[in-house]
């Protein structure tokens, strides 16, 4: 079987086991990688030797580049490396890692030197899955969760969550984070970025707790996100994946009583998930020791390093003692890349697919609607059997707008609609989300609080009533219509109020193959000359 064929099968999630076998057979050229060191022959003069037992070093350990003879010695090697502080998770002694692409195999009888089949395969996997990497010593992508030396219980939890195999972003980000690398990762909305950081975080925390028994349990990891809703979701997922392990979490968001949050942290938690504002509040008023935090995650990093959040995030970061940093978003600019590089030495940059592009699974339907006609257009859509696909989210630009529009929808169309935004109390926001997610309310009108990160189960239609004020937010908002590649639709109202976004919007619509309204194209030429005129005047002053 050709290698490319087997990689295709991985991508299509078919015959997964067969595919893994194919990869290891190609690697070994015989019957798979040797499990035990005693099955390996002695090294002949001039041949590479296993760094652990001295037998023939038939393989190269992917994570350390050392010569090794078998899975057994790889495991010993990784444990030694981990103990020296590289933080590769030590595997439980009874379990050998699965035989897969984690091994390079050398052609020993070849006078022309070594042929590195495995790096070729890794590159092939990366190319097929559109994984791009920048940086030193980035481990090979994994093809299964079991090839990462994760705790058995964590693997069970992953399976119970329904994750049969890693998503492309997880394939690359998890092994890289597991060896302690700081990462800046971009991948489509809804592509599985959350587990890409939670799996290594949980694995590290649980290992650390099993190995160290301090008098006082201080937090070991921290995840910051921009909204309470996203924090709640991340914490829930963390609890699910960390079930049965020495891994407890604390949610630190505004709107919930601080006393409860501080009490929970004092009881001993491994992970804090929070929004920057509330965390600073808590750190200023209470004595929370952060010196054991070794993993610092910024979800929606471009938003977190934007003015507004940046100072708070940096204040928290400076209170930590040089943790590993994991940063994720679907949209990452060069400026964010520069800032990320200044926060961590030797940061690795991973991107899956084309960065900053909308999820291909979301069909974009831009409609030119004058401002005063937007409400009527929305009512038409919501009352059309053909066009309304509940549950749906309608995005607006202001809190007041959200309240007014949700009332108007209910009154005019009779469809039960609620609004959600940052001014509503936390309890109410939780209840609104609950009734939307269980299907009691088919339409929700939201501001940016539901724009990023949150997965709104069952939502396949979003309507951008007001265009957000950047194309980045546009990518995130329309991304709510699809999770894991399921098809969704984004209806987008545009008009001359959004001229500042036209050039980028047209580019994005064209590159996604979406129809571009004639008015938008016409306005674009006007925008161009108007923009240039403004610039000239400014320079003239
Ligand atoms: N390996 C997997 N197999 C199956 N489902 C998965 C896997 N990994 C994650 N998921 C599910 O995919 C959905 C989307 O994942 P997630 O919320 O992490 O996306 P995301 O990339 O963070 O999106 P966004 O950019 O919108 O925040 C979630 O419901 C999650 O439970």
């Amino acid at each position: 079987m050709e290698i490319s064929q087997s990689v295709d099968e991985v991508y299509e999630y078919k015959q997964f086991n067969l595919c893994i076998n194919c990869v290891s057979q190609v690697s070994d050229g015989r019957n798979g990688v040797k499990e035990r060191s005693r099955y390996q022959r002695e090294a002949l003069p001039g041949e590479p030797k296993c760094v652990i037992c001295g037998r023939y070093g038939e393989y190269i350990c992917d994570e350390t580049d050392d010569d090794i003879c078998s899975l057994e010695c790889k495991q010993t090697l990784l444990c030694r490396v981990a103990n020296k502080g590289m933080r590769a998770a030590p595997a439980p002694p009874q379990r050998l890692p699965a035989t897969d692409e984690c091994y390079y195999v050398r052609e020993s009888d070849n006078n022309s030197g070594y042929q590195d089949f495995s790096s070729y395969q890794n590159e092939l996997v990366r190319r097929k899955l559109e994984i791009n990497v920048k940086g030193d010593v980035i481990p090979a992508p994994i093809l299964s969760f079991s090839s990462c030396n994760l705790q058995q219980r964590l693997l069970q939890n992953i399976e119970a969550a329904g994750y049969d195999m890693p998503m492309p972003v997880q394939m690359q980000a998890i092994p890289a984070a597991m060896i302690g690398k700081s990462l800046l990762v971009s991948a489509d909305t809804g592509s599985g970025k959350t587990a890409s950081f939670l799996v290594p975080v949980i694995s590290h925390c649980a290992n650390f707790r099993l190995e160290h028994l301090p008098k006082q349990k201080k937090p070991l990891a921290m995840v910051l996100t921009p909204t309470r809703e996203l924090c709640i979701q991340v914490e829930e997922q963390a609890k699910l994946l960390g079930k049965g392990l020495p891994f407890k979490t604390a949610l630190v968001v505004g709107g919930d009583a601080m006393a409860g949050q501080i009490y929970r942290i004092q009881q001993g938690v491994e992970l804090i998930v929070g929004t920057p504002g509330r965390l600073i509040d808590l750190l200023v008023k209470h004595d929370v020791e952060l010196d054991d935090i070794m993993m610092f995650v910024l979800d929606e990093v471009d938003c977190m390093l934007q003015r507004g959040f940046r100072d708070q995030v940096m204040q928290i970061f400076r209170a930590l003692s040089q943790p590993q940093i994991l940063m994720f978003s679907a949209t990452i600019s060069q400026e964010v890349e520069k800032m990320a590089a200044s926060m961590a030495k030797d940061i690795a940059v991973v991107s899956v697919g084309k960065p900053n592009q909308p999820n291909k699974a979301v069909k974009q339907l831009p409609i030119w609607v004058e401002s005063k006609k937007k409400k009527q257009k929305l009512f038409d859509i919501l009352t059309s059997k053909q066009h309304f696909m509940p549950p749906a989210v309608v995005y607006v630009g202001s809190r007041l707008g959200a309240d007014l529009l949700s009332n108007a929808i209910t009154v005019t169309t009779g469809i039960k609609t609620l609004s959600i935004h940052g001014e509503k109390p936390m309890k109410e926001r939780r209840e609104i989300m609950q009734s939307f997610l269980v299907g009691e309310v088919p339409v929700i009108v939201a501001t940016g609080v539901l724009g990023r990160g949150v997965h709104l189960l069952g939502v396949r239609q979003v309507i951008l009533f007001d265009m957000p004020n950047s194309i980045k937010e546009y990518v995130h908002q329309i991304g709510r219509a699809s999770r894991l590649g399921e098809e969704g639709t984004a209806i987008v109202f545009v008009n001359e109020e959004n001229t500042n976004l036209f050039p980028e919007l047209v580019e994005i619509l064209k590159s996604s193959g979406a129809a571009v309204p004639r008015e938008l194209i016409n306005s674009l030429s006007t925008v161009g000359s108007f923009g240039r005129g403004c610039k000239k005047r400014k320079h003239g002053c």
Side-chain angles (χ1 to χ4, degrees):
M1 181 180 286
E2 282 181 4
I3 296 173
S4 58
Q5 189 186 344
S6 65
V7 174
D8 273 336
E9 285 166 356
V10 173
Y11 189 40
E12 287 163 20
Y13 292 18
K14 285 181 197 157
Q15 302 177 22
F16 180 58
N17 293 329
L18 172 66
C19 177
I20 290 287
N21 291 337
C22 290
V23 174
S24 57
Q25 273 174 26
V26 175
S27 300
D28 191 71
R30 287 175 293 277
N31 293 320
V33 178
K34 292 185 177 57
E35 283 205 350
R36 302 266 166 209
S37 112
R38 64 174 178 275
Y39 301 152
Q40 187 56 270
R41 65 174 169 79
E42 292 303 321
L44 299 173
E47 280 188 331
K49 289 184 181 168
C50 173
V51 291
I52 301 295
C53 70
R55 288 188 168 81
Y56 171 41
E58 190 176 0
Y59 317 109
I60 301 173
C61 174
D62 194 26
E63 285 86 345
T64 66
D65 266 355
D66 287 309
D67 299 318
I68 42 161
C69 70
S70 60
L71 291 167
E72 184 179 34
C73 284
K74 173 179 175 165
Q75 188 183 335
T76 312
L77 175 64
L78 287 180
C79 284
R80 282 189 193 168
V81 170
N83 289 340
K84 275 192 197 150
M86 249 180 90
R87 292 225 314 280
Q94 73 280 14
R95 191 171 64 83
L96 286 166
T99 53
D100 71 3
E101 77 301 339
C102 281
Y103 294 84
Y104 295 119
V105 177
R106 61 171 97 244
E107 247 192 10
S108 55
D109 304 327
N110 180 347
N111 286 340
S112 65
Y114 301 130
Q115 187 175 353
D116 192 344
F117 279 114
S118 184
S119 41
Y120 170 68
Q121 285 166 20
N122 294 337
E123 273 321 304
L124 207 59
V125 172
R126 284 186 181 133
R127 249 203 335 263
K128 284 276 172 192
L129 303 181
E130 296 185 70
I131 299 172
N132 296 297
V133 292
K134 269 195 280 180
D136 299 332
V137 207
I138 302 172
I142 49 159
L143 298 183
S144 67
F145 286 110
S146 59
S147 45
C148 259
N149 289 345
L150 300 174
Q151 295 88 348
Q152 201 56 44
R153 181 63 207 240
L154 179 50
L155 285 173
Q156 283 165 7
N157 294 344
I158 289 172
E159 201 182 329
Y163 302 177
D164 294 336
M165 64 175 290
M167 302 300 294
V169 63
Q170 296 162 355
M171 289 180 181
Q172 187 59 77
I174 293 177
M178 295 279 295
I179 63 159
K181 281 218 83 80
S182 285
L183 302 177
L184 175 65
V185 183
S186 71
D188 264 357
T189 51
S191 62
K193 293 187 289 297
T194 316
S196 304
F197 59 79
L198 282 182
V199 168
V201 162
I202 296 168
S203 171
H204 163 65
C205 291
N207 271 328
F208 191 89
R209 283 292 185 245
L210 290 171
E211 284 166 14
H212 304 81
L213 289 170
K215 273 190 214 130
Q216 185 203 350
K217 281 190 194 170
K218 302 180 202 168
L220 302 174
M222 184 186 281
V223 177
L224 298 186
T225 92
T227 64
R228 298 170 190 183
E229 277 71 16
L230 187 50
C231 282
I232 293 171
Q233 179 182 299
V234 169
E235 199 222 5
E236 272 170 8
Q237 201 171 339
K239 277 183 185 156
L240 213 71
L241 293 175
K243 213 166 148 189
L245 288 159
F247 179 77
K248 286 202 175 68
T249 60
L251 181 68
V252 179
V253 295
D256 284 345
M258 200 188 279
Q261 296 172 356
I262 194 79
Y263 177 76
R264 189 162 169 84
I265 294 174
Q266 281 162 353
Q267 291 302 298
V269 297
E270 280 66 40
L271 173 69
I272 294 179
V273 183
T275 47
R278 172 51 74 95
L279 247 162
I280 293 206
D281 230 24
L282 187 132
L283 297 176
V284 168
K285 291 181 190 146
H286 300 273
D287 195 20
V288 178
E289 292 187 65
L290 301 179
D291 44 322
D292 275 358
I293 292 205
M294 292 168 82
M295 296 178 96
F296 181 55
V297 181
L298 294 178
D299 196 10
E300 309 296 344
V301 59
D302 53 327
C303 181
M304 303 303 280
L305 293 180
Q306 224 166 260
R307 220 177 297 144
F309 275 129
R310 185 169 49 206
D311 291 348
Q312 294 174 327
V313 168
M314 294 312 286
Q315 196 181 334
I316 296 169
F317 176 59
R318 280 192 292 269
L320 311 177
S321 2
Q322 299 195 320
Q324 174 188 4
I325 314 178
L326 304 175
M327 301 182 249
F328 289 76
S329 182
T331 47
I332 285 175
S333 63
Q334 283 189 342
E335 196 197 344
V336 170
E337 207 172 312
K338 267 193 212 150
M339 277 193 270
S342 71
M343 289 171 75
K345 258 196 259 154
D346 301 327
I347 194 156
V349 181
V350 175
S351 65
V352 181
K354 275 196 196 152
N356 305 319
Q357 291 296 310
N359 192 317
K360 287 185 200 127
V362 180
K363 189 172 176 194
Q364 298 163 75
L365 296 172
I367 312 176
W368 187 270
V369 198
E370 300 301 334
S371 291
K372 55 181 184 293
K373 295 192 177 150
K374 284 204 298 193
K375 265 192 195 164
Q376 189 52 52
K377 188 76 184 173
L378 178 66
F379 301 151
D380 292 346
I381 293 169
L382 297 179
T383 48
S384 151
K385 274 200 184 122
Q386 192 192 344
H387 294 116
F388 181 37
M389 290 180 278
V393 183
V394 178
Y395 284 104
V396 294
S398 73
R399 296 166 178 186
L400 181 63
D403 290 338
L404 294 175
L405 189 62
S406 75
N407 276 339
I409 294 172
T410 309
V411 170
T412 313
T413 66
I415 299 170
K416 201 168 174 191
T417 305
L418 291 174
S419 63
I420 185 162
H421 52 71
E423 221 163 59
K424 295 206 166 184
M426 200 56 220
K427 186 166 172 283
E428 193 181 340
R429 275 158 76 170
R430 276 203 171 98
E431 285 163 4
I432 292 167
M433 287 303 289
Q434 179 72 12
S435 37
F436 181 61
L437 295 176
V438 299
E440 278 168 24
V441 176
V443 177
I444 199 164
V445 183
T447 58
V449 293
L450 291 196
R452 280 179 176 252
V454 282
H455 38 95
L456 304 164
L457 288 183
V459 171
R460 293 290 166 267
Q461 181 174 59
V462 300
I463 301 171
L464 273 57
F465 184 88
D466 293 330
M467 269 294 275
N469 49 22
S470 75
I471 287 295
K472 265 189 325 181
E473 296 315 310
Y474 172 85
V475 168
H476 287 275
Q477 290 187 1
I478 69 168
R480 297 315 100 203
S482 166
R483 301 276 93 184
L484 295 178
E486 281 184 32
E487 285 185 7
T489 309
I491 299 176
V492 183
F493 290 179
V494 272
N495 60 37
E496 57 291 305
E497 286 182 10
N498 320 118
T499 44
N500 57 328
L501 297 180
F502 283 179
E504 279 180 281
L505 179 62
V506 169
E507 210 174 293
I508 261 190
L509 291 172
K510 279 189 178 165
S511 67
S512 320
V516 184
R518 193 166 20 89
E519 296 89 336
L520 217 163
I521 302 263
N522 292 343
S523 307
L524 194 58
S525 47
T526 331
V527 175
S529 55
F530 178 68
R532 278 196 294 278
C534 271
K535 211 169 177 188
K536 268 188 195 147
R537 271 202 305 279
K538 200 171 165 199
H539 282 298
C541 290

